[in-house]
DNA sequence: GCACGAAATGTTATAACGTTGCATATCGAA
DNA sequence: TTCGATATGCAACGTTATAACATTTCGTGC
């Protein structure tokens, strides 16, 4: 029990290619379960984001989808898909980059905590239940009701740091 | 000692009018100490922000300063002032609002933690050293070096909640 | 005071991001 | 198949932020 909780509380997920089909399947199943349409566009947007492995902007998605569909799409199309995916918890907006990433734990209610590398652009999602509790405590002292939490930690990732140390 | 640390770690500051002149004086003194120019524009931008009491956008600042100076200013003017004020730690950008607020603790190295009310727009800054330590621990596990921390908690503030409960 | 480099600001244009409003098409259930 | 609800197409516009280059102001040494 203890190790399980530890893993869940402090899980670490790389947005890697291996997770693409898994992420899509999960989203599709959830939509079916909720009676919502997992349309071609919505699927494609989510797929691009899983494949990318880093936060990706709306207009870059627009270009990628234009390629994929063989015709130009317009901004509202992408923004509407992103809105849907965010509402369903499949996608989180990265405020510091005006960009979007798939959520690594769409099945759990949590504060997404992102580590974002300024050099390679990769992002890593973590959960930290203890930190959530601390903020909830602050909120209690303020009489504040928290609806949404944005936690984005920027800096340099392990691989960029090691490159920096060795290769210069 | 213990109570003092407690206060500093979990201090709560309302961006109230009372702090305007204090905030400006402190910024001016710090600039002098660092051999930097606290120019009319920089001062005016910071003053508007302290007076506002809530996150304020660059283009709204632009309009306010246009009024104040009796001539239209251009975006780069305001953005350059904001950049300077951020570099000096006097101002923090609120990523979720594309807006800016004065930092409540410009003299301390810390992660600014903001509670932002969606209804009245007011923001409250807090420090939470324990949460900072937890994220640092996560970073250690990832081999990640944190350079910048963005923590923004959105929801409803105490006064808005009480209004909601009573007056409807 | 004057010369000079550094810092700050002025100015114009444009990039990047996001939304509104309305028309059309598609879906899902009666 | 009809009909309301949902999703998409499309054009225009609004907001936020930056690039590039000219000009002014500041601070220092002469
Ligand atoms: Zn998440
Ligand atoms: Zn990296
Ligand atoms: Zn602060
Ligand atoms: Zn409020």
């Amino acid at each position: 029990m203890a190790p399980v909780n530890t893993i869940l509380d402090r899980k670490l997920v790389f947005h890697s290619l291996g997770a693409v089909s898994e992420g899509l399947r999960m989203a599709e199943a959830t939509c079916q379960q909720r009676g919502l349409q997992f349309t071609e566009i919505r699927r494609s947007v989510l797929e691009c984001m899983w494949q990318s492995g880093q936060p990706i902007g709306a207009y870059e998605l627009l270009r990628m989808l234009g390629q994929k569909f063989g015709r130009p799409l317009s901004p509202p199309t992408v923004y509407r898909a992103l809105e849907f995916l965010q509402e369903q918890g499949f996608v989180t907006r990265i405020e510091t980059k005006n960009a979007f990433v798939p959520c690594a734990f769409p099945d759990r209610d949590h504060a997404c905590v992102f580590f974002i590398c300024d050099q390679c652009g990769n992002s890593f999602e973590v959960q930290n239940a203890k930190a959530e509790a601390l903020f909830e405590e602050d909120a209690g002292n303020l009489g504040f009701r928290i609806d949404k939490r944005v936690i984005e930690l920027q800096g340099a990732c392990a691989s960029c740091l090691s490159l920096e140390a060795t290769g210069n």
Side-chain angles (χ1 to χ4, degrees), chain A residues 140-162:
Chain A
N141 292 337
L142 280 167
F144 194 99
R145 185 192 68 219
I146 299 176
D147 294 328
K148 190 189 166 199
R149 295 155 293 193
V150 172
I151 303 174
E152 300 174 13
L153 308 167
Q154 298 176 283
C157 76
S159 76
C160 285
L161 282 177
S162 72

Side-chain angles (χ1 to χ4, degrees), chain A residues 88-151:
Chain A
Q88 300 310 314
F90 303 148
V91 160
T92 306
R93 179 183 161 85
I94 302 293
E95 301 289 343
T96 49
K97 300 282 184 203
N98 294 335
F100 304 84
V101 291
C103 173
F105 316 98
D107 54 330
R108 299 178 59 80
D109 175 39
H110 65 288
C112 300
V113 177
F114 293 105
F115 287 86
I116 305 159
C117 179
D118 288 325
Q119 291 171 52
C120 67
N122 285 338
S123 75
F124 311 93
E125 185 177 351
V126 163
Q127 286 180 267
N128 193 319
K130 287 183 189 170
E132 289 181 29
L134 287 174
F135 292 136
E136 209 49 66
E137 191 186 330
D138 284 341
N141 292 337
L142 280 167
F144 194 99
R145 185 192 68 219
I146 299 176
D147 294 328
K148 190 189 166 199
R149 295 155 293 193
V150 172
I151 303 174

Side-chain angles (χ1 to χ4, degrees), chain A residues 18-61:
Chain A
V20 174
S21 50
E22 172 64 18
L24 292 177
R25 229 179 309 122
M26 185 164 194
E28 181 158 26
T30 305
C31 283
Q32 189 147 22
Q33 184 183 324
R34 294 176 186 169
L36 301 172
Q37 303 180 43
F38 194 57
T39 64
E40 171 88 19
I41 288 179
R42 290 169 180 175
R43 192 193 137 86
S44 299
V45 167
L46 187 55
E47 188 175 32
C48 285
M49 293 173 62
W50 272 113
Q51 284 173 347
S52 152
Q54 19 183 279
I56 182 172
Y59 277 73
E60 194 181 342
L61 280 168

